[in-house]
Amino acid sequence: MTETLVPSTVEPAPRRLFIKTYGCQMNVYDSERMADVLRPLGYAPTEVVEDADFVILNTCHIREKAAEKVYSELGKLRDLRAERLAAGQGRMTIAVAGCVAQAEGEEIMRRQPAVDLVVGPQAYHQLPELLTRTARARGERIGADFAPNEKFDALQTPRAVTGVTAFLTVQEGCDKFCTFCVVPYTRGAEWSRPVADVLAEARGLAARGVREITLLGQNVNAYDGQGPDGRPSTLARLAHALAEIPGLDRIRYTTSHPNDMSDDLIAAHGELDALMPYLHLPVQSASDRILRLMNRKHGRKAYLDLIDRIRAVRPDMALSGDFIVGFPGETDRDFEDTMDLVRRVNYASAFSFMYSPRPGTPAATMAAQVPDDVARARLHALQALLLEQQTAFNAAQAGRTLDVLFERKGRHGAQAIGRSPYLQSVHVEDADHLIGRIVPVRIARGQQNSLAGCLLEARG
């Protein structure tokens, strides 16, 4: 008797992928793209780390003690993997990606043997190949060089987007070499994606229902990707081209450098309805002396003049900024210069930090390091002023009608949450049927961190 073998029609269970993302929006984009390149290998995302077959820590090196936080997390993952093995649940693969991986790859492998692979931010497209090799021998490190063009050339897998907003990286790296910053050492020199590649990705996002994109770059307004004519483009020209894509209604960009805020980009804010009236423009300090020590290459007056030019084109522009207090050598007078600039600009939101040294940066070895208690007191004073301005900006929206792009359901009943043109979170009752649409909303009140409103007439 001959036995006929019938191929099984039962598909294997998907392998589960958990990615923990630290830091900036660019890391969020990178995490999404890592999930995209692993999807053809059968990896489906999970939000429960205990269930994961593959865990990636996508790290950031900007904040203080970033590496130590990674090592702490790796210790927990090592123990979790041992528990899974003891329970017969299979071996968990552990990877460290991102800027800490780039800066400290060999040290990570030495200090934490539980790590299977380390991949820098310009090499995560090699994850499928690396996983295959890791199945045979543990201990790979890639990404010590900088080749973003190779990475983006390899990222042909369609993006798996589920919402109506998305990040889109258009520029990477930094040539500014601020004395406090590690980005030039972890992300490399400035490099911009060609216009055609950006437009192709944006069209794909729009086809999947994305209505708002945020263009990302370490110095996004330094964008100079190759245009259709073979010559370098500008961020303004790129924005004009993106605004022509059907269904793509809103464009934002971050993070900008004051020195790269060109005339055509300023003009674009008055020419393009799609370009939202919200600009993140870090100044870091308003003391010319400290700015020179930071190697920022702009001064206080130049920054204030730039703000005036922007507001002349777009009077309702909401401004956001970054501030570092307690930089080496900062005096009370230097700090007061910063407070004075904040009062003059009147920010809608801002990020502020107490200086902490980053190994390998020039500022880490500067004399006159500011005592922590002094820097902390200055930070509290600055944050109180910034919070006062943010609260006042939100309160001033009461009574206005703002177009809101609804993104997701709220916590209560049929509540929906969206974003105003100024990037404020807006809560509206009985609006969950409008997710994905741009709707005029009457703002009832502004709160410290959000707005509350009611529906008028839907459109879009």
Side-chain angles (χ1 to χ4, degrees):
M1 180 177 180
T2 303
E3 183 175 320
T4 302
L5 298 178
V6 180
S8 172
T9 58
V10 178
E11 294 185 3
R15 288 174 281 191
R16 291 152 297 186
L17 171 67
F18 178 89
I19 304 179
K20 182 170 183 176
T21 306
Y22 301 78
C24 66
Q25 297 100 324
M26 189 168 287
N27 268 15
V28 174
Y29 174 89
D30 287 348
S31 291
E32 292 174 352
R33 298 304 271 150
M34 282 189 269
D36 289 338
V37 299
L38 291 169
R39 196 177 341 112
L41 275 65
Y43 283 96
T46 178
E47 296 183 1
V48 181
V49 66
E50 289 81 5
D51 294 341
D53 301 294
F54 187 15
V55 175
I56 302 174
L57 302 183
N58 190 13
T59 61
C60 175
H61 211 290
I62 296 297
R63 300 290 171 254
E64 185 178 12
K65 300 180 180 177
E68 293 307 314
K69 294 176 182 177
V70 172
Y71 288 120
S72 175
E73 191 70 26
L74 288 172
K76 298 174 185 176
L77 292 174
R78 175 199 59 205
D79 295 343
L80 177 59
R81 177 160 69 186
E83 293 172 6
R84 281 172 51 90
L85 284 171
Q89 296 176 332
R91 188 179 188 279
M92 172 191 289
T93 301
I94 300 172
V96 180
C99 291
V100 173
Q102 183 73 37
E104 305 190 25
E106 301 297 340
E107 180 69 2
I108 290 170
M109 302 300 293
R110 185 188 69 80
R111 284 184 57 178
Q112 186 46 270
V115 175
D116 294 292
L117 55 97
V118 180
V119 54
Q122 307 299 6
Y124 59 74
H125 60 289
Q126 299 181 37
L127 276 170
E129 175 190 351
L130 187 60
L131 272 174
T132 301
R133 296 206 303 265
T134 302
R136 297 193 294 266
R138 193 198 75 84
E140 293 275 0
R141 184 190 182 205
I142 60 176
D145 56 349
F146 299 100
N149 57 316
E150 296 179 7
K151 175 178 73 176
F152 285 105
D153 286 346
L155 292 176
Q156 301 301 323
T157 306
R159 291 181 61 182
V161 294
T162 57
V164 296
T165 66
F167 294 126
L168 200 170
T169 293
V170 302
Q171 182 270 340
E172 290 203 13
C174 183
D175 296 341
K176 301 296 189 290
F177 287 92
C178 297
T179 57
F180 55 80
C181 186
V182 297
V183 167
Y185 313 104
T186 58
R187 289 274 183 170
E190 290 180 359
W191 178 86
S192 299
R193 297 176 66 186
V195 171
D197 292 358
V198 175
L199 294 179
E201 186 169 343
R203 291 189 189 101
L205 291 170
R208 292 171 176 82
V210 170
R211 302 197 64 178
E212 174 182 300
I213 59 169
T214 300
L215 308 178
L216 300 180
Q218 267 83 33
N219 284 310
V220 68
N221 56 342
Y223 175 84
D224 63 353
Q226 184 184 58
D229 60 357
R231 302 175 62 185
S233 181
T234 65
L235 188 64
R237 290 200 288 272
L238 177 63
H240 276 277
L242 289 165
E244 297 296 321
I245 296 176
L248 195 59
D249 298 296
R250 289 182 165 188
I251 302 167
R252 304 183 189 274
Y253 59 91
T254 194
T255 289
S256 302
H257 193 287
N259 287 1
D260 295 318
M261 202 69 199
S262 59
D263 290 342
D264 67 337
L265 184 55
I266 294 172
H269 277 282
E271 297 164 350
L272 290 176
D273 291 337
L275 198 54
M276 292 292 97
Y278 175 90
L279 176 62
H280 184 64
L281 194 63
V283 64
Q284 307 298 358
S285 172
S287 161
D288 284 336
R289 191 177 68 85
I290 296 299
L291 288 169
R292 286 192 295 272
L293 289 173
M294 288 179 167
N295 194 35
R296 288 289 291 172
K297 300 183 178 71
H298 65 80
R300 170 193 180 87
K301 183 178 185 302
Y303 184 86
L304 288 170
D305 289 347
L306 178 58
I307 298 300
D308 288 343
R309 291 170 56 207
I310 293 167
R311 283 178 165 159
V313 169
R314 191 71 196 251
D316 67 332
M317 180 70 76
L319 287 159
S320 173
D322 284 354
F323 298 89
I324 296 173
V325 301
F327 189 82
E330 184 186 67
T331 65
D332 289 343
R333 174 62 183 273
D334 295 321
F335 176 65
E336 180 51 39
D337 284 345
T338 296
M339 294 288 280
D340 177 70
L341 180 138
V342 170
R343 295 185 191 102
R344 292 187 185 206
V345 173
N346 194 15
Y347 289 90
S349 64
F351 303 93
S352 54
F353 309 95
M354 190 171 78
Y355 170 77
S356 59
R358 299 292 175 269
T361 61
T365 58
M366 285 182 178
Q369 298 282 327
V370 176
D372 282 355
D373 59 337
V374 174
R376 192 170 292 108
R378 290 173 183 169
L379 180 63
H380 290 165
L382 174 61
Q383 289 181 337
L385 176 58
L386 291 169
L387 182 59
E388 177 185 325
Q389 292 184 349
Q390 176 180 305
T391 303
F393 180 78
N394 287 347
Q397 309 310 310
R400 296 187 63 190
T401 296
L402 301 178
D403 283 345
V404 173
L405 172 57
F406 284 105
E407 300 177 4
R408 65 187 190 278
K409 286 178 61 67
R411 295 181 180 179
H412 312 293
Q415 185 186 69
I417 300 173
R419 293 282 178 180
S420 78
Y422 309 112
L423 204 60
Q424 298 146 306
S425 179
V426 185
H427 300 73
V428 180
E429 304 301 325
D430 301 318
D432 61 347
H433 61 292
L434 297 172
I435 291 172
R437 297 178 63 183
I438 297 175
V439 178
V441 171
R442 183 75 168 176
I443 304 303
R445 63 185 182 278
Q447 303 165 127
Q448 180 174 299
N449 296 309
S450 64
L451 307 178
C454 55
L455 294 175
L456 295 178
E457 180 182 355
R459 70 168 171 84

